[in-house]
Amino acid sequence: TARPSPTPAPTPRLRPRPKPGPFRMDVYRRNAFTSQYTAWYCVPAAMQTMINIMESGRPDRTRATQDRLYRLARRLSSDRLDGKGAEPIGWARGLERLGYGRFIVRAYRTRSDAMKVAAKQLRITGRPVGILAWRGAHSWVMSGFHATADPALTDRYRVTEVAIEDVWYPRVSSIWGRSDPPDTWVPFERLPRDLLAYRRPGTRYPGLDGRYVLVLPVTDDDPRRSVGPR
């Protein structure tokens, strides 16, 4: 079973400050959300939304930026990529290339393991997490979480809600239904509707297939590396 990374000693840099009891945080910024401009732009739209969250200036929601992020993510994807779109590794490498810190692609056996690690890394780094939804066909941004305890203080906690930016919004999928507005709090029990194990038709991804895949922010000294195609 996957476990979160070891909990570091609390430091004054963590915001909000560590505290006992149930814990909630959300790094979403007003107007940070950007919907995808085309049906195959979910990765660049998620990258653009994450960058808007991490940047302190006026959010950039332009098509020109999303076009540029799409080209970057495709160029940094592996040679397994077939057709339109981009891979998780292109998403992670793209954010790194643009100077937003280390991001890695990680895969977990269970949904609860994935959300626990996502919450831990969001808490420790203060940066949003990428989630591969719809069996890997779609990209979400996780900007916040509610847990039974502060992940900065303990590994003994359970994630009960996550704050999600679904870049398909305001569209309605013929398969997955209506997407939620940005910064929607989704109870853990509702995640199985959209968050299913990774499986891309026609292409095998060893290390990712059958697991729950994240584009995970990590610290510079974190020893973990990306799984899946390099």
Side-chain angles (χ1 to χ4, degrees), residues 61-79:
R61 303 166 67 185
T62 63
R63 169 71 185 258
T65 293
Q66 203 168 115
D67 287 339
R68 177 173 56 84
L69 293 172
Y70 178 67
R71 293 191 295 270
L72 177 65
R74 280 184 65 84
R75 187 168 72 248
L76 298 175
S77 293
S78 79
D79 57 9

Side-chain angles (χ1 to χ4, degrees), residues 79 83 116 121 137 149 180 222:
D79 57 9
K116 192 171 181 181
Q121 293 308 120
D180 291 316
D222 194 306

Side-chain angles (χ1 to χ4, degrees), residues 35-42 44 63 66-67 70 167-168 171:
S35 182
Q36 58 191 86
Y37 280 96
T38 74
W40 56 91
Y41 267 24
C42 64
R63 169 71 185 258
Q66 203 168 115
D67 287 339
Y70 178 67
V167 295
W168 188 249
R171 301 170 180 83

Side-chain angles (χ1 to χ4, degrees), residues 14-133:
L14 288 176
R15 295 289 184 271
R17 294 292 299 275
K19 63 179 183 178
F23 183 83
R24 183 182 180 114
M25 72 175 287
D26 189 0
V27 297
Y28 184 74
R29 295 176 59 231
R30 184 180 179 185
N31 294 326
F33 175 79
T34 305
S35 182
Q36 58 191 86
Y37 280 96
T38 74
W40 56 91
Y41 267 24
C42 64
V43 165
M47 292 171 68
Q48 191 172 18
T49 297
M50 292 171 79
I51 290 168
N52 285 340
I53 291 171
M54 292 184 285
E55 287 279 10
S56 59
R58 182 178 179 180
D60 179 349
R61 303 166 67 185
T62 63
R63 169 71 185 258
T65 293
Q66 203 168 115
D67 287 339
R68 177 173 56 84
L69 293 172
Y70 178 67
R71 293 191 295 270
L72 177 65
R74 280 184 65 84
R75 187 168 72 248
L76 298 175
S77 293
S78 79
D79 57 9
R80 291 176 182 267
L81 180 62
D82 183 29
K84 296 177 179 178
E87 294 175 337
I89 193 65
W91 182 352
R93 288 170 172 169
L95 291 173
E96 283 194 351
R97 182 71 61 89
L98 293 169
Y100 292 99
R102 279 192 64 211
F103 283 86
I104 60 174
V105 178
R106 301 294 290 182
Y108 299 90
R109 292 184 182 277
T110 71
R111 191 179 293 108
S112 59
D113 284 343
M115 292 301 96
K116 192 171 181 181
V117 175
K120 171 76 76 175
Q121 293 308 120
L122 197 160
R123 174 63 168 128
I124 297 305
T125 67
R127 289 178 280 152
V129 177
I131 298 178
L132 278 298

